[in-house]
Amino acid sequence: MAARFLFLALLALASSHAIASDPSQLQDFCVADLKSDVLVNGFVCKDPKLAKAEDFFFSGLDKPRDTGNKLGSNVTQVNVNQIPGLNTLGISLARLDFAPYGVNPPHIHPRGTEILTVLEGTLHVGFVTSNNPNNQLFTKVLNKGDVFVFPQGLIHFQFNYGKTNAVAIAGLSSQNPGVITIANAVFGAKPPISDYVLAKAFQLDKKTVDWLQAQFWMDNNN
């Protein structure tokens, strides 16, 4: 009986590990067929015989992006949608440009951890833990060459409080980490979330919520 219980416990443990992580690569690569109508978790592979160098290539990340918007920032994503060869490889990249006092507002990446390094300027960055234990804020001022990690699924932000432009590069642990900007999702949802729900949740009066929902919520991700 004890041996049977031990076997079942080990089987459950092995199964939990299998479910909790991506499977190992079964081939050299799986270039995404972005035009396929087949729906899978990710993208189906195109015939590897048809793969070419351009499937693993992206150009122009050295060029400054336009930050002339309300947020004063611009995020250039380089994920599987830009590089089909990233499909199944579990990694992607982004360039972040900031005007003086520009912000990449509080957001989360539901499918990836982010590691960021500053190339130019100074950034004030931070993330907030879940309410277990206590919504703790971890924050740091980063200068050129500094690196900071934002754990997967946690709310985080970057702010350039300097008088010059700032540039950063971020690596993410997913081919398609996703981004949910908190204000956009809450106040810009389509169809809108009930203003009664938001007024109660944020302890605001309904008129303030209605005003917030009527605003244009800028998306700085490209």
Side-chain angles (χ1 to χ4, degrees):
M1 186 68 179
R4 182 181 179 187
F5 177 79
L6 179 60
F7 171 75
L8 291 175
L10 290 172
L11 181 62
L13 182 63
S15 299
S16 68
H17 282 299
I19 294 171
S21 61
D22 293 334
S24 299
Q25 288 286 107
L26 300 178
Q27 52 201 14
D28 290 342
F29 52 79
C30 170
V31 174
D33 183 352
L34 300 177
K35 297 180 180 179
S36 174
D37 293 328
V38 179
L39 300 178
V40 297
N41 185 21
F43 294 96
V44 298
C45 309
K46 74 176 185 181
D47 187 339
K49 295 178 182 178
L50 301 178
K52 50 188 183 297
E54 286 73 15
D55 292 324
F56 304 90
F57 176 77
F58 180 89
S59 180
L61 207 61
D62 60 316
K63 294 178 174 57
R65 264 47 180 186
D66 181 14
T67 56
N69 54 56
K70 285 185 176 181
L71 297 174
S73 67
N74 191 314
V75 179
T76 304
Q77 302 179 72
V78 186
N79 55 41
V80 67
N81 294 293
Q82 289 77 39
I83 302 181
L86 286 174
N87 192 36
T88 74
L89 298 184
I91 192 170
S92 60
L93 191 69
R95 171 181 170 131
L96 295 82
D97 287 88
F98 298 86
Y101 307 106
V103 64
N104 190 19
H107 62 282
I108 67 170
H109 299 295
R111 296 181 291 274
T113 290
E114 176 180 347
I115 183 168
L116 176 143
T117 183
V118 176
L119 301 183
E120 298 177 16
T122 300
L123 292 177
H124 173 215
V125 306
F127 67 84
V128 180
T129 65
S130 61
N131 61 4
N132 182 15
N134 58 357
N135 294 127
Q136 183 176 354
L137 172 64
F138 289 84
T139 186
K140 192 78 175 173
V141 173
L142 305 182
N143 297 301
K144 182 177 180 179
D146 290 343
V147 177
F148 198 79
V149 174
F150 306 96
Q152 179 175 342
L154 297 187
I155 293 175
H156 61 284
F157 63 88
Q158 297 98 17
F159 173 59
N160 176 18
Y161 66 90
K163 295 181 180 180
T164 61
N165 293 339
V167 181
I169 291 288
L172 297 112
S173 62
S174 170
Q175 68 181 43
N176 186 22
V179 59
I180 301 173
T181 303
I182 306 306
N184 300 37
V186 172
F187 296 109
K190 296 179 179 59
I193 300 172
S194 164
D195 54 4
Y196 177 82
V197 170
L198 295 180
K200 194 77 170 178
F202 288 94
Q203 300 175 37
L204 299 170
D205 63 81
K206 184 175 174 295
K207 287 184 178 180
T208 300
V209 171
D210 291 341
W211 181 84
L212 287 168
Q213 289 183 312
Q215 303 308 301
F216 172 73
W217 294 96
M218 174 73 198
D219 182 8
N220 65 339
N221 290 273
N222 297 293

